[in-house]
mmCIF file with all atom_site columns, all heavy atoms in Angstrom:
data_model
loop_
_atom_site.group_PDB
_atom_site.id
_atom_site.type_symbol
_atom_site.label_atom_id
_atom_site.label_alt_id
_atom_site.label_comp_id
_atom_site.label_asym_id
_atom_site.label_entity_id
_atom_site.label_seq_id
_atom_site.pdbx_PDB_ins_code
_atom_site.Cartn_x
_atom_site.Cartn_y
_atom_site.Cartn_z
_atom_site.occupancy
_atom_site.B_iso_or_equiv
_atom_site.pdbx_formal_charge
_atom_site.auth_seq_id
_atom_site.auth_comp_id
_atom_site.auth_asym_id
_atom_site.auth_atom_id
_atom_site.pdbx_PDB_model_num
ATOM 1   N N   . TYR E 1 3  ? 213.592 101.130 -90.433 1.00 0.00 ? 26 TYR E N   1
ATOM 2   C CA  . TYR E 1 3  ? 214.986 100.859 -90.743 1.00 0.00 ? 26 TYR E CA  1
ATOM 3   C C   . TYR E 1 3  ? 215.562 99.712  -89.937 1.00 0.00 ? 26 TYR E C   1
ATOM 4   O O   . TYR E 1 3  ? 214.844 99.246  -88.998 1.00 0.00 ? 26 TYR E O   1
ATOM 5   C CB  . TYR E 1 3  ? 215.747 102.137 -90.191 1.00 0.00 ? 26 TYR E CB  1
ATOM 6   C CG  . TYR E 1 3  ? 215.516 103.379 -91.058 1.00 0.00 ? 26 TYR E CG  1
ATOM 7   C CD1 . TYR E 1 3  ? 214.378 104.126 -90.824 1.00 0.00 ? 26 TYR E CD1 1
ATOM 8   C CD2 . TYR E 1 3  ? 216.372 103.680 -92.109 1.00 0.00 ? 26 TYR E CD2 1
ATOM 9   C CE1 . TYR E 1 3  ? 214.095 105.217 -91.749 1.00 0.00 ? 26 TYR E CE1 1
ATOM 10  C CE2 . TYR E 1 3  ? 216.138 104.727 -92.943 1.00 0.00 ? 26 TYR E CE2 1
ATOM 11  C CZ  . TYR E 1 3  ? 215.003 105.632 -92.702 1.00 0.00 ? 26 TYR E CZ  1
ATOM 12  O OH  . TYR E 1 3  ? 214.816 106.605 -93.557 1.00 0.00 ? 26 TYR E OH  1
ATOM 13  N N   . ARG E 1 4  ? 216.561 99.085  -90.380 1.00 0.00 ? 27 ARG E N   1
ATOM 14  C CA  . ARG E 1 4  ? 217.184 97.921  -89.761 1.00 0.00 ? 27 ARG E CA  1
ATOM 15  C C   . ARG E 1 4  ? 217.471 98.234  -88.316 1.00 0.00 ? 27 ARG E C   1
ATOM 16  O O   . ARG E 1 4  ? 217.102 97.589  -87.413 1.00 0.00 ? 27 ARG E O   1
ATOM 17  C CB  . ARG E 1 4  ? 218.328 97.502  -90.567 1.00 0.00 ? 27 ARG E CB  1
ATOM 18  C CG  . ARG E 1 4  ? 218.943 96.165  -90.255 1.00 0.00 ? 27 ARG E CG  1
ATOM 19  C CD  . ARG E 1 4  ? 220.040 95.774  -91.105 1.00 0.00 ? 27 ARG E CD  1
ATOM 20  N NE  . ARG E 1 4  ? 221.243 96.620  -90.911 1.00 0.00 ? 27 ARG E NE  1
ATOM 21  C CZ  . ARG E 1 4  ? 221.766 97.337  -91.755 1.00 0.00 ? 27 ARG E CZ  1
ATOM 22  N NH1 . ARG E 1 4  ? 221.172 97.535  -92.979 1.00 0.00 ? 27 ARG E NH1 1
ATOM 23  N NH2 . ARG E 1 4  ? 222.824 98.201  -91.563 1.00 0.00 ? 27 ARG E NH2 1
ATOM 24  N N   . GLN E 1 5  ? 218.258 99.275  -88.166 1.00 0.00 ? 28 GLN E N   1
ATOM 25  C CA  . GLN E 1 5  ? 218.628 99.763  -86.723 1.00 0.00 ? 28 GLN E CA  1
ATOM 26  C C   . GLN E 1 5  ? 218.906 101.339 -86.861 1.00 0.00 ? 28 GLN E C   1
ATOM 27  O O   . GLN E 1 5  ? 219.730 101.721 -87.645 1.00 0.00 ? 28 GLN E O   1
ATOM 28  C CB  . GLN E 1 5  ? 219.744 99.107  -86.221 1.00 0.00 ? 28 GLN E CB  1
ATOM 29  C CG  . GLN E 1 5  ? 220.043 99.354  -84.753 1.00 0.00 ? 28 GLN E CG  1
ATOM 30  C CD  . GLN E 1 5  ? 220.912 98.368  -84.011 1.00 0.00 ? 28 GLN E CD  1
ATOM 31  O OE1 . GLN E 1 5  ? 221.744 97.884  -84.622 1.00 0.00 ? 28 GLN E OE1 1
ATOM 32  N NE2 . GLN E 1 5  ? 220.740 98.337  -82.619 1.00 0.00 ? 28 GLN E NE2 1
ATOM 33  N N   . ILE E 1 6  ? 218.174 101.934 -86.129 1.00 0.00 ? 29 ILE E N   1
ATOM 34  C CA  . ILE E 1 6  ? 218.424 103.445 -86.016 1.00 0.00 ? 29 ILE E CA  1
ATOM 35  C C   . ILE E 1 6  ? 219.445 103.730 -84.898 1.00 0.00 ? 29 ILE E C   1
ATOM 36  O O   . ILE E 1 6  ? 219.400 103.157 -83.818 1.00 0.00 ? 29 ILE E O   1
ATOM 37  C CB  . ILE E 1 6  ? 217.189 104.188 -85.744 1.00 0.00 ? 29 ILE E CB  1
ATOM 38  C CG1 . ILE E 1 6  ? 216.192 103.948 -86.933 1.00 0.00 ? 29 ILE E CG1 1
ATOM 39  C CG2 . ILE E 1 6  ? 217.417 105.742 -85.585 1.00 0.00 ? 29 ILE E CG2 1
ATOM 40  C CD1 . ILE E 1 6  ? 214.761 104.608 -86.807 1.00 0.00 ? 29 ILE E CD1 1
ATOM 41  N N   . GLY E 1 7  ? 220.443 104.648 -85.254 1.00 0.00 ? 30 GLY E N   1
ATOM 42  C CA  . GLY E 1 7  ? 221.435 105.031 -84.220 1.00 0.00 ? 30 GLY E CA  1
ATOM 43  C C   . GLY E 1 7  ? 221.315 106.462 -83.833 1.00 0.00 ? 30 GLY E C   1
ATOM 44  O O   . GLY E 1 7  ? 220.892 107.326 -84.607 1.00 0.00 ? 30 GLY E O   1
ATOM 45  N N   . ILE E 1 8  ? 221.669 106.740 -82.504 1.00 0.00 ? 31 ILE E N   1
ATOM 46  C CA  . ILE E 1 8  ? 221.608 108.136 -82.093 1.00 0.00 ? 31 ILE E CA  1
ATOM 47  C C   . ILE E 1 8  ? 223.045 108.365 -81.474 1.00 0.00 ? 31 ILE E C   1
ATOM 48  O O   . ILE E 1 8  ? 223.455 107.624 -80.642 1.00 0.00 ? 31 ILE E O   1
ATOM 49  C CB  . ILE E 1 8  ? 220.516 108.292 -80.895 1.00 0.00 ? 31 ILE E CB  1
ATOM 50  C CG1 . ILE E 1 8  ? 219.164 107.925 -81.360 1.00 0.00 ? 31 ILE E CG1 1
ATOM 51  C CG2 . ILE E 1 8  ? 220.510 109.786 -80.300 1.00 0.00 ? 31 ILE E CG2 1
ATOM 52  C CD1 . ILE E 1 8  ? 218.410 108.967 -82.221 1.00 0.00 ? 31 ILE E CD1 1
ATOM 53  N N   . VAL E 1 9  ? 223.612 109.424 -81.952 1.00 0.00 ? 32 VAL E N   1
ATOM 54  C CA  . VAL E 1 9  ? 224.889 109.845 -81.290 1.00 0.00 ? 32 VAL E CA  1
ATOM 55  C C   . VAL E 1 9  ? 224.582 111.092 -80.418 1.00 0.00 ? 32 VAL E C   1
ATOM 56  O O   . VAL E 1 9  ? 224.151 112.167 -81.066 1.00 0.00 ? 32 VAL E O   1
ATOM 57  C CB  . VAL E 1 9  ? 225.922 110.190 -82.399 1.00 0.00 ? 32 VAL E CB  1
ATOM 58  C CG1 . VAL E 1 9  ? 227.184 110.724 -81.894 1.00 0.00 ? 32 VAL E CG1 1
ATOM 59  C CG2 . VAL E 1 9  ? 226.134 108.860 -83.217 1.00 0.00 ? 32 VAL E CG2 1
ATOM 60  N N   . GLY E 1 10 ? 224.803 110.977 -79.154 1.00 0.00 ? 33 GLY E N   1
ATOM 61  C CA  . GLY E 1 10 ? 224.455 112.107 -78.185 1.00 0.00 ? 33 GLY E CA  1
ATOM 62  C C   . GLY E 1 10 ? 223.481 111.468 -77.264 1.00 0.00 ? 33 GLY E C   1
ATOM 63  O O   . GLY E 1 10 ? 222.708 110.571 -77.457 1.00 0.00 ? 33 GLY E O   1
ATOM 64  N N   . SER E 1 11 ? 223.511 112.135 -76.022 1.00 0.00 ? 34 SER E N   1
ATOM 65  C CA  . SER E 1 11 ? 222.579 111.645 -74.967 1.00 0.00 ? 34 SER E CA  1
ATOM 66  C C   . SER E 1 11 ? 221.912 112.816 -74.278 1.00 0.00 ? 34 SER E C   1
ATOM 67  O O   . SER E 1 11 ? 221.327 112.701 -73.151 1.00 0.00 ? 34 SER E O   1
ATOM 68  C CB  . SER E 1 11 ? 223.357 110.841 -73.925 1.00 0.00 ? 34 SER E CB  1
ATOM 69  O OG  . SER E 1 11 ? 224.419 111.621 -73.421 1.00 0.00 ? 34 SER E OG  1
ATOM 70  N N   . GLY E 1 12 ? 221.883 114.073 -74.920 1.00 0.00 ? 35 GLY E N   1
ATOM 71  C CA  . GLY E 1 12 ? 221.332 115.167 -74.381 1.00 0.00 ? 35 GLY E CA  1
ATOM 72  C C   . GLY E 1 12 ? 219.801 115.321 -74.565 1.00 0.00 ? 35 GLY E C   1
ATOM 73  O O   . GLY E 1 12 ? 219.142 114.344 -74.925 1.00 0.00 ? 35 GLY E O   1
ATOM 74  N N   . ARG E 1 13 ? 219.274 116.523 -74.625 1.00 0.00 ? 36 ARG E N   1
ATOM 75  C CA  . ARG E 1 13 ? 217.875 116.891 -74.605 1.00 0.00 ? 36 ARG E CA  1
ATOM 76  C C   . ARG E 1 13 ? 217.340 116.487 -76.028 1.00 0.00 ? 36 ARG E C   1
ATOM 77  O O   . ARG E 1 13 ? 216.337 115.777 -76.111 1.00 0.00 ? 36 ARG E O   1
ATOM 78  C CB  . ARG E 1 13 ? 217.616 118.274 -74.414 1.00 0.00 ? 36 ARG E CB  1
ATOM 79  C CG  . ARG E 1 13 ? 217.832 118.591 -72.884 1.00 0.00 ? 36 ARG E CG  1
ATOM 80  C CD  . ARG E 1 13 ? 217.861 120.101 -72.627 1.00 0.00 ? 36 ARG E CD  1
ATOM 81  N NE  . ARG E 1 13 ? 219.163 120.538 -73.176 1.00 0.00 ? 36 ARG E NE  1
ATOM 82  C CZ  . ARG E 1 13 ? 219.658 121.775 -73.024 1.00 0.00 ? 36 ARG E CZ  1
ATOM 83  N NH1 . ARG E 1 13 ? 218.835 122.762 -72.358 1.00 0.00 ? 36 ARG E NH1 1
ATOM 84  N NH2 . ARG E 1 13 ? 220.684 122.250 -73.485 1.00 0.00 ? 36 ARG E NH2 1
ATOM 85  N N   . VAL E 1 14 ? 217.990 116.906 -77.087 1.00 0.00 ? 37 VAL E N   1
ATOM 86  C CA  . VAL E 1 14 ? 217.445 116.534 -78.384 1.00 0.00 ? 37 VAL E CA  1
ATOM 87  C C   . VAL E 1 14 ? 217.561 115.041 -78.695 1.00 0.00 ? 37 VAL E C   1
ATOM 88  O O   . VAL E 1 14 ? 216.689 114.446 -79.244 1.00 0.00 ? 37 VAL E O   1
ATOM 89  C CB  . VAL E 1 14 ? 218.085 117.461 -79.528 1.00 0.00 ? 37 VAL E CB  1
ATOM 90  C CG1 . VAL E 1 14 ? 217.635 117.058 -80.913 1.00 0.00 ? 37 VAL E CG1 1
ATOM 91  C CG2 . VAL E 1 14 ? 217.830 118.875 -79.295 1.00 0.00 ? 37 VAL E CG2 1
ATOM 92  N N   . ALA E 1 15 ? 218.772 114.528 -78.292 1.00 0.00 ? 38 ALA E N   1
ATOM 93  C CA  . ALA E 1 15 ? 218.915 113.002 -78.611 1.00 0.00 ? 38 ALA E CA  1
ATOM 94  C C   . ALA E 1 15 ? 217.851 112.263 -77.926 1.00 0.00 ? 38 ALA E C   1
ATOM 95  O O   . ALA E 1 15 ? 217.371 111.317 -78.557 1.00 0.00 ? 38 ALA E O   1
ATOM 96  C CB  . ALA E 1 15 ? 220.334 112.635 -78.018 1.00 0.00 ? 38 ALA E CB  1
ATOM 97  N N   . ARG E 1 16 ? 217.427 112.577 -76.742 1.00 0.00 ? 39 ARG E N   1
ATOM 98  C CA  . ARG E 1 16 ? 216.424 111.789 -76.045 1.00 0.00 ? 39 ARG E CA  1
ATOM 99  C C   . ARG E 1 16 ? 215.107 111.980 -76.735 1.00 0.00 ? 39 ARG E C   1
ATOM 100 O O   . ARG E 1 16 ? 214.348 110.888 -76.873 1.00 0.00 ? 39 ARG E O   1
ATOM 101 C CB  . ARG E 1 16 ? 216.306 112.204 -74.533 1.00 0.00 ? 39 ARG E CB  1
ATOM 102 C CG  . ARG E 1 16 ? 217.535 111.886 -73.759 1.00 0.00 ? 39 ARG E CG  1
ATOM 103 C CD  . ARG E 1 16 ? 217.525 112.529 -72.356 1.00 0.00 ? 39 ARG E CD  1
ATOM 104 N NE  . ARG E 1 16 ? 218.912 112.404 -71.876 1.00 0.00 ? 39 ARG E NE  1
ATOM 105 C CZ  . ARG E 1 16 ? 219.320 112.383 -70.573 1.00 0.00 ? 39 ARG E CZ  1
ATOM 106 N NH1 . ARG E 1 16 ? 218.306 112.354 -69.733 1.00 0.00 ? 39 ARG E NH1 1
ATOM 107 N NH2 . ARG E 1 16 ? 220.574 112.321 -70.299 1.00 0.00 ? 39 ARG E NH2 1
ATOM 108 N N   . ALA E 1 17 ? 214.675 113.156 -77.068 1.00 0.00 ? 40 ALA E N   1
ATOM 109 C CA  . ALA E 1 17 ? 213.404 113.315 -77.696 1.00 0.00 ? 40 ALA E CA  1
ATOM 110 C C   . ALA E 1 17 ? 213.417 112.608 -79.069 1.00 0.00 ? 40 ALA E C   1
ATOM 111 O O   . ALA E 1 17 ? 212.341 112.002 -79.380 1.00 0.00 ? 40 ALA E O   1
ATOM 112 C CB  . ALA E 1 17 ? 213.071 114.817 -77.851 1.00 0.00 ? 40 ALA E CB  1
ATOM 113 N N   . LEU E 1 18 ? 214.457 112.768 -79.848 1.00 0.00 ? 41 LEU E N   1
ATOM 114 C CA  . LEU E 1 18 ? 214.515 112.125 -81.177 1.00 0.00 ? 41 LEU E CA  1
ATOM 115 C C   . LEU E 1 18 ? 214.437 110.639 -81.079 1.00 0.00 ? 41 LEU E C   1
ATOM 116 O O   . LEU E 1 18 ? 213.735 109.968 -81.788 1.00 0.00 ? 41 LEU E O   1
ATOM 117 C CB  . LEU E 1 18 ? 215.838 112.580 -81.832 1.00 0.00 ? 41 LEU E CB  1
ATOM 118 C CG  . LEU E 1 18 ? 215.847 113.696 -82.811 1.00 0.00 ? 41 LEU E CG  1
ATOM 119 C CD1 . LEU E 1 18 ? 217.302 113.813 -83.402 1.00 0.00 ? 41 LEU E CD1 1
ATOM 120 C CD2 . LEU E 1 18 ? 214.739 113.514 -83.880 1.00 0.00 ? 41 LEU E CD2 1
ATOM 121 N N   . GLY E 1 19 ? 215.255 110.117 -80.034 1.00 0.00 ? 42 GLY E N   1
ATOM 122 C CA  . GLY E 1 19 ? 215.241 108.664 -79.793 1.00 0.00 ? 42 GLY E CA  1
ATOM 123 C C   . GLY E 1 19 ? 213.856 108.142 -79.498 1.00 0.00 ? 42 GLY E C   1
ATOM 124 O O   . GLY E 1 19 ? 213.460 107.170 -80.015 1.00 0.00 ? 42 GLY E O   1
ATOM 125 N N   . LEU E 1 20 ? 213.173 108.787 -78.639 1.00 0.00 ? 43 LEU E N   1
ATOM 126 C CA  . LEU E 1 20 ? 211.951 108.469 -78.169 1.00 0.00 ? 43 LEU E CA  1
ATOM 127 C C   . LEU E 1 20 ? 210.980 108.495 -79.425 1.00 0.00 ? 43 LEU E C   1
ATOM 128 O O   . LEU E 1 20 ? 210.016 107.545 -79.512 1.00 0.00 ? 43 LEU E O   1
ATOM 129 C CB  . LEU E 1 20 ? 211.320 109.417 -77.045 1.00 0.00 ? 43 LEU E CB  1
ATOM 130 C CG  . LEU E 1 20 ? 210.108 108.999 -76.279 1.00 0.00 ? 43 LEU E CG  1
ATOM 131 C CD1 . LEU E 1 20 ? 210.264 107.687 -75.647 1.00 0.00 ? 43 LEU E CD1 1
ATOM 132 C CD2 . LEU E 1 20 ? 209.719 110.132 -75.389 1.00 0.00 ? 43 LEU E CD2 1
ATOM 133 N N   . ALA E 1 21 ? 211.063 109.423 -80.401 1.00 0.00 ? 44 ALA E N   1
ATOM 134 C CA  . ALA E 1 21 ? 210.138 109.474 -81.333 1.00 0.00 ? 44 ALA E CA  1
ATOM 135 C C   . ALA E 1 21 ? 210.487 108.394 -82.437 1.00 0.00 ? 44 ALA E C   1
ATOM 136 O O   . ALA E 1 21 ? 209.561 108.029 -83.118 1.00 0.00 ? 44 ALA E O   1
ATOM 137 C CB  . ALA E 1 21 ? 210.303 110.902 -82.043 1.00 0.00 ? 44 ALA E CB  1
ATOM 138 N N   . LEU E 1 22 ? 211.809 108.167 -82.693 1.00 0.00 ? 45 LEU E N   1
ATOM 139 C CA  . LEU E 1 22 ? 212.154 107.325 -83.780 1.00 0.00 ? 45 LEU E CA  1
ATOM 140 C C   . LEU E 1 22 ? 212.250 105.770 -83.406 1.00 0.00 ? 45 LEU E C   1
ATOM 141 O O   . LEU E 1 22 ? 212.260 105.042 -84.288 1.00 0.00 ? 45 LEU E O   1
ATOM 142 C CB  . LEU E 1 22 ? 213.509 107.738 -84.362 1.00 0.00 ? 45 LEU E CB  1
ATOM 143 C CG  . LEU E 1 22 ? 213.662 109.124 -84.945 1.00 0.00 ? 45 LEU E CG  1
ATOM 144 C CD1 . LEU E 1 22 ? 214.953 109.522 -85.388 1.00 0.00 ? 45 LEU E CD1 1
ATOM 145 C CD2 . LEU E 1 22 ? 212.655 109.237 -86.218 1.00 0.00 ? 45 LEU E CD2 1
ATOM 146 N N   . ALA E 1 23 ? 212.273 105.481 -82.070 1.00 0.00 ? 46 ALA E N   1
ATOM 147 C CA  . ALA E 1 23 ? 212.470 104.043 -81.708 1.00 0.00 ? 46 ALA E CA  1
ATOM 148 C C   . ALA E 1 23 ? 211.588 103.132 -82.360 1.00 0.00 ? 46 ALA E C   1
ATOM 149 O O   . ALA E 1 23 ? 212.019 101.924 -82.733 1.00 0.00 ? 46 ALA E O   1
ATOM 150 C CB  . ALA E 1 23 ? 212.398 103.944 -80.110 1.00 0.00 ? 46 ALA E CB  1
ATOM 151 N N   . ARG E 1 24 ? 210.324 103.488 -82.662 1.00 0.00 ? 47 ARG E N   1
ATOM 152 C CA  . ARG E 1 24 ? 209.322 102.574 -83.151 1.00 0.00 ? 47 ARG E CA  1
ATOM 153 C C   . ARG E 1 24 ? 209.478 102.290 -84.668 1.00 0.00 ? 47 ARG E C   1
ATOM 154 O O   . ARG E 1 24 ? 208.991 101.466 -85.262 1.00 0.00 ? 47 ARG E O   1
ATOM 155 C CB  . ARG E 1 24 ? 207.846 103.096 -82.960 1.00 0.00 ? 47 ARG E CB  1
ATOM 156 C CG  . ARG E 1 24 ? 207.408 104.247 -83.665 1.00 0.00 ? 47 ARG E CG  1
ATOM 157 C CD  . ARG E 1 24 ? 206.162 104.749 -83.063 1.00 0.00 ? 47 ARG E CD  1
ATOM 158 N NE  . ARG E 1 24 ? 205.885 106.087 -83.718 1.00 0.00 ? 47 ARG E NE  1
ATOM 159 C CZ  . ARG E 1 24 ? 205.035 106.362 -84.588 1.00 0.00 ? 47 ARG E CZ  1
ATOM 160 N NH1 . ARG E 1 24 ? 204.327 105.282 -85.118 1.00 0.00 ? 47 ARG E NH1 1
ATOM 161 N NH2 . ARG E 1 24 ? 204.744 107.664 -85.034 1.00 0.00 ? 47 ARG E NH2 1
ATOM 162 N N   . PHE E 1 25 ? 210.488 103.098 -85.245 1.00 0.00 ? 48 PHE E N   1
ATOM 163 C CA  . PHE E 1 25 ? 210.804 102.944 -86.768 1.00 0.00 ? 48 PHE E CA  1
ATOM 164 C C   . PHE E 1 25 ? 212.051 102.042 -86.891 1.00 0.00 ? 48 PHE E C   1
ATOM 165 O O   . PHE E 1 25 ? 212.508 101.829 -87.972 1.00 0.00 ? 48 PHE E O   1
ATOM 166 C CB  . PHE E 1 25 ? 210.888 104.190 -87.464 1.00 0.00 ? 48 PHE E CB  1
ATOM 167 C CG  . PHE E 1 25 ? 209.776 105.139 -87.435 1.00 0.00 ? 48 PHE E CG  1
ATOM 168 C CD1 . PHE E 1 25 ? 209.584 106.079 -86.431 1.00 0.00 ? 48 PHE E CD1 1
ATOM 169 C CD2 . PHE E 1 25 ? 208.634 104.787 -88.240 1.00 0.00 ? 48 PHE E CD2 1
ATOM 170 C CE1 . PHE E 1 25 ? 208.536 106.909 -86.440 1.00 0.00 ? 48 PHE E CE1 1
ATOM 171 C CE2 . PHE E 1 25 ? 207.538 105.601 -88.202 1.00 0.00 ? 48 PHE E CE2 1
ATOM 172 C CZ  . PHE E 1 25 ? 207.450 106.653 -87.284 1.00 0.00 ? 48 PHE E CZ  1
ATOM 173 N N   . SER E 1 26 ? 212.544 101.517 -85.821 1.00 0.00 ? 49 SER E N   1
ATOM 174 C CA  . SER E 1 26 ? 213.827 100.645 -85.846 1.00 0.00 ? 49 SER E CA  1
ATOM 175 C C   . SER E 1 26 ? 213.457 99.216  -85.565 1.00 0.00 ? 49 SER E C   1
ATOM 176 O O   . SER E 1 26 ? 212.958 98.911  -84.497 1.00 0.00 ? 49 SER E O   1
ATOM 177 C CB  . SER E 1 26 ? 214.778 101.267 -84.796 1.00 0.00 ? 49 SER E CB  1
ATOM 178 O OG  . SER E 1 26 ? 215.990 100.649 -84.796 1.00 0.00 ? 49 SER E OG  1
ATOM 179 N N   . ASP E 1 27 ? 213.774 98.306  -86.593 1.00 0.00 ? 50 ASP E N   1
ATOM 180 C CA  . ASP E 1 27 ? 213.471 97.002  -86.343 1.00 0.00 ? 50 ASP E CA  1
ATOM 181 C C   . ASP E 1 27 ? 214.226 96.439  -85.154 1.00 0.00 ? 50 ASP E C   1
ATOM 182 O O   . ASP E 1 27 ? 213.531 95.810  -84.283 1.00 0.00 ? 50 ASP E O   1
ATOM 183 C CB  . ASP E 1 27 ? 213.878 96.029  -87.587 1.00 0.00 ? 50 ASP E CB  1
ATOM 184 C CG  . ASP E 1 27 ? 213.029 96.369  -88.731 1.00 0.00 ? 50 ASP E CG  1
ATOM 185 O OD1 . ASP E 1 27 ? 211.906 96.802  -88.568 1.00 0.00 ? 50 ASP E OD1 1
ATOM 186 O OD2 . ASP E 1 27 ? 213.500 96.183  -89.912 1.00 0.00 ? 50 ASP E OD2 1
ATOM 187 N N   . LYS E 1 28 ? 215.444 96.687  -85.035 1.00 0.00 ? 51 LYS E N   1
ATOM 188 C CA  . LYS E 1 28 ? 216.097 96.272  -83.755 1.00 0.00 ? 51 LYS E CA  1
ATOM 189 C C   . LYS E 1 28 ? 216.134 97.423  -82.720 1.00 0.00 ? 51 LYS E C   1
ATOM 190 O O   . LYS E 1 28 ? 215.964 98.605  -83.158 1.00 0.00 ? 51 LYS E O   1
ATOM 191 C CB  . LYS E 1 28 ? 217.735 96.027  -84.112 1.00 0.00 ? 51 LYS E CB  1
ATOM 192 C CG  . LYS E 1 28 ? 217.932 94.835  -84.839 1.00 0.00 ? 51 LYS E CG  1
ATOM 193 C CD  . LYS E 1 28 ? 219.382 94.576  -84.900 1.00 0.00 ? 51 LYS E CD  1
ATOM 194 C CE  . LYS E 1 28 ? 219.744 93.484  -85.910 1.00 0.00 ? 51 LYS E CE  1
ATOM 195 N NZ  . LYS E 1 28 ? 221.155 93.543  -86.245 1.00 0.00 ? 51 LYS E NZ  1
ATOM 196 N N   . PRO E 1 29 ? 216.284 97.196  -81.506 1.00 0.00 ? 52 PRO E N   1
ATOM 197 C CA  . PRO E 1 29 ? 216.343 98.294  -80.536 1.00 0.00 ? 52 PRO E CA  1
ATOM 198 C C   . PRO E 1 29 ? 217.319 99.404  -80.996 1.00 0.00 ? 52 PRO E C   1
ATOM 199 O O   . PRO E 1 29 ? 218.432 99.102  -81.589 1.00 0.00 ? 52 PRO E O   1
ATOM 200 C CB  . PRO E 1 29 ? 216.790 97.697  -79.193 1.00 0.00 ? 52 PRO E CB  1
ATOM 201 C CG  . PRO E 1 29 ? 216.415 96.222  -79.454 1.00 0.00 ? 52 PRO E CG  1
ATOM 202 C CD  . PRO E 1 29 ? 216.507 95.920  -80.817 1.00 0.00 ? 52 PRO E CD  1
ATOM 203 N N   . LEU E 1 30 ? 217.016 100.697 -80.782 1.00 0.00 ? 53 LEU E N   1
ATOM 204 C CA  . LEU E 1 30 ? 217.875 101.760 -81.225 1.00 0.00 ? 53 LEU E CA  1
ATOM 205 C C   . LEU E 1 30 ? 219.213 101.672 -80.527 1.00 0.00 ? 53 LEU E C   1
ATOM 206 O O   . LEU E 1 30 ? 219.340 101.177 -79.355 1.00 0.00 ? 53 LEU E O   1
ATOM 207 C CB  . LEU E 1 30 ? 217.093 103.025 -80.614 1.00 0.00 ? 53 LEU E CB  1
ATOM 208 C CG  . LEU E 1 30 ? 217.200 104.339 -81.285 1.00 0.00 ? 53 LEU E CG  1
ATOM 209 C CD1 . LEU E 1 30 ? 215.752 104.862 -81.251 1.00 0.00 ? 53 LEU E CD1 1
ATOM 210 C CD2 . LEU E 1 30 ? 218.138 105.099 -80.572 1.00 0.00 ? 53 LEU E CD2 1
ATOM 211 N N   . LEU E 1 31 ? 220.271 102.019 -81.289 1.00 0.00 ? 54 LEU E N   1
ATOM 212 C CA  . LEU E 1 31 ? 221.646 101.971 -80.718 1.00 0.00 ? 54 LEU E CA  1
ATOM 213 C C   . LEU E 1 31 ? 222.139 103.403 -80.403 1.00 0.00 ? 54 LEU E C   1
ATOM 214 O O   . LEU E 1 31 ? 222.131 104.280 -81.296 1.00 0.00 ? 54 LEU E O   1
ATOM 215 C CB  . LEU E 1 31 ? 222.597 101.365 -81.768 1.00 0.00 ? 54 LEU E CB  1
ATOM 216 C CG  . LEU E 1 31 ? 224.060 101.192 -81.351 1.00 0.00 ? 54 LEU E CG  1
ATOM 217 C CD1 . LEU E 1 31 ? 223.987 100.032 -80.280 1.00 0.00 ? 54 LEU E CD1 1
ATOM 218 C CD2 . LEU E 1 31 ? 224.809 100.649 -82.618 1.00 0.00 ? 54 LEU E CD2 1
#
Side-chain angles (χ1 to χ4, degrees):
Y26 289 83
R27 189 176 67 248
Q28 187 164 29
I29 297 178
I31 304 278
V32 174
S34 54
R36 288 165 291 186
V37 176
R39 290 173 198 208
L41 267 184
L43 192 58
L45 292 176
R47 70 193 168 101
F48 298 101
S49 182
D50 289 338
K51 288 188 189 165
L53 212 140
L54 185 66

